[in-house]
Amino acid sequence: MQASTQAPSPVIRSVVSFLLFVHLFSLGISWLLWRQSSPVHRALRRFPGFYLQVLALDVCPDSGMLLDTQQGLINNPRLAPRAYRALWHLTHADALDVDHFLVFRTSGGQQRQWPGPGVWPDLRRLRYRMLAWEMARLAPIEDADSVLPAAVARGILLQHGWTRGELECRRLLLRSPQETRSNDPQLHDPYHPDRWETVYRAQVWLKNGQVLLRRTDTPEQRSGPVRSAPAAQAPQAAPRPEAPESSDQSLPVSPSE
Amino acid sequence: MWKATSEYLNFLGQQTAQGWNRFWFTPCSPLRLAVLRVLVGVVSLYYVATFWPDLVRWFGPQGWLVAPQGESTLAAPDPVGQWLQVRFPIGEQLWGFDDAPTGALPPLYRLSYLTYLRTPWELHTAQALGVLVLVLFALGWKVRWTAPAALVVVLSYVHRAPMLNAQLEPVLAMLMFYLALSPCGAAWSLDWWFKRRRAKHASALQVLPSWKATVPMRLIQVHLTGWYALTLLAQLSGGTSGPVWWTGEAMWWVVARPDSTLLSADFLARHPLLIDLWTYFVVVFQGAFVVLIWVRPFRPLMLAGAVVYWLGVILSTGLVSYGLLMLAALVVFVPVEQMRTRALPEEAPTFG
């Protein structure tokens, strides 16, 4: 492609300047005004919605800047996940800033975990972790017919030819520096069974081609601290109307996939 | 008084217009964009190719994230569409649909050709074609056509399963979009190589500066700077565990994730001062980059700092692809004179 040293004509320059202004304005709106809710802000956000969505430039609209209203968001479980989808930050030491995993146990005792040690390269591992992360993010507001867990469970059951089992999303709590320095193997081990926390767990089974799902984790299990260090404050999940019986089996899993 | 005000406003308008035109339309060499095309092409190829082993598991007829087929039920759920509904539960708040019924979905424009593919054969064929397009884009063959096609391929994967997206995808989509607008095939490409073989005069090979290269390059620079600024603001705003970026402990909680990090947390646990220094380096660097990358004398310093910063991010988070892509994007800030003398072979034509 042969480029040109010629400056653009005034007409072309004007048109390009206008398009640049529209583009930068759209980006600025999506970055800065995401959480504002005045009519003017809503009208401004409506304008670039289509354009930014098509180009995937709005993937992280809910930046961590908005966490100043986090307490209010947490109190409203339907809004809480929106505060966490932000991926600008490296960490906030929050409940979601840890490694998440999916585990599936069959009634016959088989167990699979995603991602397991055999999953490589890094992007594949990351995708499984992000799926588990997303399930954890939505866990406080998932109903009994949770869409994402149901879809994943259905896929697992059909792909492996199983008829029933238990799907679990679990997170690995982090060690504090003091624990890491400790000579106590229980405190020092980053994968110690006590560090695994159940975020979401449900019995799933296939019946007449349909997947049925019954959530079995308790509200208490959904609000644990991120880390073992003192003074950790994890977001509190909204209470659920019913609390099915718990069958806590937070044992370490043997990754197999 | 009125005259002085009028003259000042006139002067201000002229200066602003001149500054705007100088910033966006001063011709520059497309060399930086050509190098960036190669690097982004490799990363995008890696991004799409790594879907291959899990393609049927994610998107197949019995996949985990099956495409919507008619009304969503538990037997045939539409996890993507309903995930988006949960993610954006109130259309009125996000998009201003005041008259939308409660719970109504706002219109979504996340287009992906993968949504329409069902069988493993269809998925694998589309995957192979997508990989082929990205290979041609990275090599620089018919870039005017392969660049937009490569953008469509990448966006299709980004939009097909947005719940799998992490930090890499928005940056990759952004860079692909701007490269598709640019003459990024003007050098370091098969197009250029074929032209070189056919040319009889060296002058025909010259890649001249162009405002068509300046606009996308400036867009990438501005967008990247905004990315750094938002990262800084997001981190300093704090989370539910307190302002870990202010107290200096944040990098510990990054490194302490055993399944993600590439570093040994044991070493850092014995050196808390190192954790503090690393945390504050991240904060100070992000803030400094936003401003000082635009100040020419500081630019080499900021680029060196960015290399250290992103290598640290790669090691601490394990986000190798994301870190490498952000490192590659720094090319747009490298002075073109440096690239010409160090990156091009001697027989290469001169660039303006």
Side-chain angles (χ1 to χ4, degrees), chain B residues 231-295:
Chain B
T231 302
L232 176 68
L233 292 173
Q235 289 174 169
L236 293 184
S237 66
T240 52
S241 294
V244 290
W245 289 96
W246 293 97
T247 58
E249 59 177 307
M251 284 312 295
W252 168 258
W253 300 114
V254 175
V255 175
R257 297 173 62 166
D259 197 63
S260 301
T261 187
L262 303 178
L263 290 176
S264 165
D266 293 3
F267 173 78
L268 278 176
R270 290 192 296 271
H271 300 84
L273 183 61
L274 202 56
I275 298 169
D276 282 11
L277 287 175
W278 195 353
T279 302
Y280 292 131
F281 166 74
V282 168
V283 172
V284 171
F285 170 74
Q286 288 174 338
F289 186 92
V290 173
V291 177
L292 297 182
I293 195 65
W294 300 102
V295 183

Side-chain angles (χ1 to χ4, degrees), chain A residues 1-21:
Chain A
M1 185 183 297
Q2 191 75 6
S4 166
T5 56
Q6 298 295 317
S9 70
V11 173
I12 291 178
R13 201 168 57 203
S14 299
V15 171
V16 173
S17 293
F18 173 74
L19 295 175
L20 282 172
F21 177 80

Side-chain angles (χ1 to χ4, degrees), chain B:
Chain B
M1 179 65 183
W2 277 112
K3 186 179 179 184
T5 305
S6 174
E7 285 178 351
Y8 167 71
L9 292 176
N10 192 28
F11 170 77
L12 182 65
Q14 285 182 351
Q15 290 295 307
T16 304
Q18 286 176 8
W20 173 274
N21 289 336
R22 192 166 52 244
F23 183 81
W24 291 104
F25 297 109
T26 300
C28 78
S29 168
L31 179 59
R32 279 176 282 196
L33 294 168
V35 174
L36 185 62
R37 187 207 74 244
V38 176
L39 298 173
V40 171
V42 170
V43 174
S44 62
L45 181 62
Y46 176 66
Y47 168 73
V48 170
T50 50
F51 269 100
W52 218 320
D54 302 311
L55 199 61
V56 177
R57 172 175 287 168
W58 292 131
F59 310 134
Q62 298 178 343
W64 293 14
L65 305 169
V66 290
Q69 301 176 50
E71 189 177 354
S72 171
T73 65
L74 280 179
D78 170 16
V80 176
Q82 296 198 30
W83 173 85
L84 287 167
Q85 186 178 20
V86 174
R87 182 181 166 196
F88 303 123
I90 302 175
E92 183 271 329
Q93 286 220 0
L94 191 62
W95 302 111
F97 293 109
D98 299 322
D99 53 350
T102 304
L105 269 174
L108 295 167
Y109 303 99
R110 302 193 180 277
L111 311 174
S112 168
Y113 58 75
L114 293 169
T115 306
Y116 306 100
L117 306 179
R118 298 282 189 273
T119 67
W121 183 86
E122 291 171 345
L123 288 168
H124 284 300
T125 303
Q127 173 81 5
L129 290 174
V131 166
L132 177 64
V133 167
L134 293 174
V135 168
L136 294 176
F137 168 68
L139 292 176
W141 186 76
K142 304 285 185 189
V143 173
R144 186 174 294 183
W145 302 104
T146 53
L151 174 66
V152 169
V153 170
V154 168
L155 286 178
S156 290
Y157 284 85
V158 171
H159 288 327
R160 176 62 182 84
M163 63 279 286
L164 305 181
N165 293 346
Q167 289 89 343
L168 172 72
E169 286 80 359
V171 181
L172 184 60
M174 177 266 287
L175 292 173
M176 298 285 287
F177 171 56
Y178 293 139
L179 285 174
L181 300 176
S182 75
C184 60
W188 290 70
S189 65
L190 286 177
D191 291 345
W192 178 79
W193 188 73
F194 287 136
K195 187 185 291 183
R196 185 183 174 195
R197 289 191 63 185
R198 288 194 301 265
K200 295 178 181 177
H201 301 288
S203 59
L205 294 174
Q206 284 191 346
V207 180
L208 302 174
S210 169
W211 66 273
K212 293 175 185 173
T214 307
V215 171
M217 195 190 67
R218 291 296 195 190
L219 280 169
I220 295 174
Q221 291 176 339
V222 170
H223 204 128
L224 278 177
T225 308
W227 188 266
Y228 279 85
L230 287 168
T231 302
L232 176 68
L233 292 173
Q235 289 174 169
L236 293 184
S237 66
T240 52
S241 294
V244 290
W245 289 96
W246 293 97
T247 58
E249 59 177 307
M251 284 312 295
W252 168 258
W253 300 114
V254 175
V255 175
R257 297 173 62 166
D259 197 63
S260 301
T261 187
L262 303 178
L263 290 176
S264 165
D266 293 3
F267 173 78
L268 278 176
R270 290 192 296 271
H271 300 84
L273 183 61
L274 202 56
I275 298 169
D276 282 11
L277 287 175
W278 195 353
T279 302
Y280 292 131
F281 166 74
V282 168
V283 172
V284 171
F285 170 74
Q286 288 174 338
F289 186 92
V290 173
V291 177
L292 297 182
I293 195 65
W294 300 102
V295 183
R296 196 171 290 274
F298 285 100
R299 189 170 285 185
L301 192 62
M302 289 297 103
L303 291 174
V307 171
V308 174
Y309 169 72
W310 284 109
L311 288 178
V313 169
I314 290 172
L315 292 173
S316 59
T317 64
L319 297 171
V320 180
S321 313
Y322 173 56
L324 290 178
L325 186 64
M326 292 301 283
L327 277 173
L330 293 173
V331 165
V332 296
F333 289 108
V334 175
V336 73
E337 297 80 12
Q338 297 289 323
M339 297 184 61
R340 196 191 320 164
T341 54
R342 295 180 184 178
L344 278 182
E346 290 183 0
E347 65 273 22
T350 57
F351 294 85

